[in-house]
Amino acid sequence: MQPYTDFSTVFQEGYTFQYDIPYEGLQNVTISVHTLGELVLTSGKVTACDPLMDVEPRRYFVQTVEPGRYPVIVSVATFMPRQDKRLACTMLRISESSPVRWEHAIWHDTPPLKDNQMCYYGVDSATGCFMDVDAAQAIQAISTKTIGREEFNATMSNELLQNCIYADYPNTRWAILQIEEFVNNLVHEYYPDVDWSDVDINNPTKANLIAFTSGWGDGGYPSFWGYDASNQLVSLVTDFGIFAEA
């Protein structure tokens, strides 16, 4: 399987092209590129998921990365005249070297895929992320206790979130803490549908997660490993598929 998106252009600051959105017409698209922070990889086993709905420490990519700190970069597409911005792709940059080929990122426990099948993660809260398996394990430990509405309100200091989030995420302590952390750290200067947050999980390993909005919203999204001309691993990119082969 190949990416939906042309990664060679979508991470070029100021790159422009035209894209025809079904039922909305031809759009002028301009790309902007932003560094969100550094992802701390403690085990080197990387996972990508919806951090509010589907954190599963047993699911991680077959390919591993040397433990360390790596920048997470996003590509944001501005659509005109639609007057909209969307996060197109996210990259975990492992090396400064340029990728020349892409390989579908597969979960370590995935059975052999047939032609045109893809390995992806599901999004149900319009949010994706990168994290180390150690971070996922810490989150799972936080999530073991369910809480009621009274404790929810005491935990969630943001009154707006008290009123609108509980019905959607009534049982998971981690979801509550993560939502507030995410909302309090959102990057609002870009556009309401393009937000991200570097979340400290407060666990002994120091592993964090970097969360971000997911393209047009909910769906299933694949990731791809990038390799340079020397066949060295240089990046991991999640493709939110907002346009294909642009």
Side-chain angles (χ1 to χ4, degrees), residues 18-148:
Q18 290 189 317
Y19 180 66
D20 192 2
I21 297 180
Y23 309 109
E24 297 196 35
L26 196 64
Q27 303 290 313
N28 295 313
V29 182
T30 302
I31 297 296
S32 60
V33 181
H34 311 272
T35 300
L36 311 192
E38 289 187 323
L39 186 70
V40 180
L41 295 181
T42 48
S43 74
K45 296 177 180 179
V46 185
T47 187
C49 65
D50 181 332
L52 301 181
M53 305 295 292
D54 187 29
V55 178
E56 176 48 75
R58 294 174 296 180
R59 190 177 63 184
Y60 52 86
F61 295 122
V62 172
Q63 179 63 268
T64 60
V65 178
E66 186 72 21
R69 305 177 69 94
Y70 299 93
V72 173
I73 299 164
V74 294
S75 166
V76 176
T78 300
F79 295 86
M80 296 295 290
R82 192 176 192 266
Q83 297 186 329
D84 193 7
K85 291 180 185 281
R86 295 286 168 165
L87 197 151
C89 299
T90 56
M91 174 190 292
L92 177 66
R93 191 174 66 194
I94 300 163
S95 166
E96 295 287 347
S97 185
S98 298
V100 297
R101 70 176 180 90
W102 297 95
E103 182 179 293
H104 193 190
I106 306 296
W107 305 122
H108 80 287
D109 57 354
T110 299
L113 298 176
K114 298 179 181 179
D115 291 344
N116 299 321
Q117 283 187 314
M118 69 176 183
C119 180
Y120 61 86
Y121 70 86
V123 169
D124 290 314
S125 70
T127 308
C129 79
F130 288 132
M131 74 173 92
D132 190 276
V133 164
D134 285 339
Q137 290 174 339
I139 290 169
Q140 189 175 69
I142 296 169
S143 301
T144 56
K145 181 183 177 183
T146 61
I147 68 177

Side-chain angles (χ1 to χ4, degrees), residues 6 9-10 12-17 29-32 246:
D6 182 356
T9 58
V10 78
Q12 291 184 24
E13 176 68 32
Y15 181 76
T16 60
F17 58 94
V29 182
T30 302
I31 297 296
S32 60

Side-chain angles (χ1 to χ4, degrees), residues 157-202:
S157 60
N158 186 307
E159 291 184 4
L160 175 63
L161 296 180
Q162 288 180 9
N163 293 329
C164 69
I165 296 298
Y166 184 76
D168 293 328
Y169 305 98
N171 297 318
T172 305
R173 175 182 291 273
W174 158 250
I176 291 168
L177 297 175
Q178 154 68 350
I179 290 165
E180 182 155 42
E181 180 80 4
F182 188 68
V183 170
N184 288 342
N185 291 306
L186 290 181
V187 181
H188 291 295
E189 62 262 37
Y190 295 108
Y191 200 79
D193 291 316
V194 178
D195 296 317
W196 50 74
S197 183
D198 183 345
V199 181
D200 180 5
I201 302 171
N202 296 317

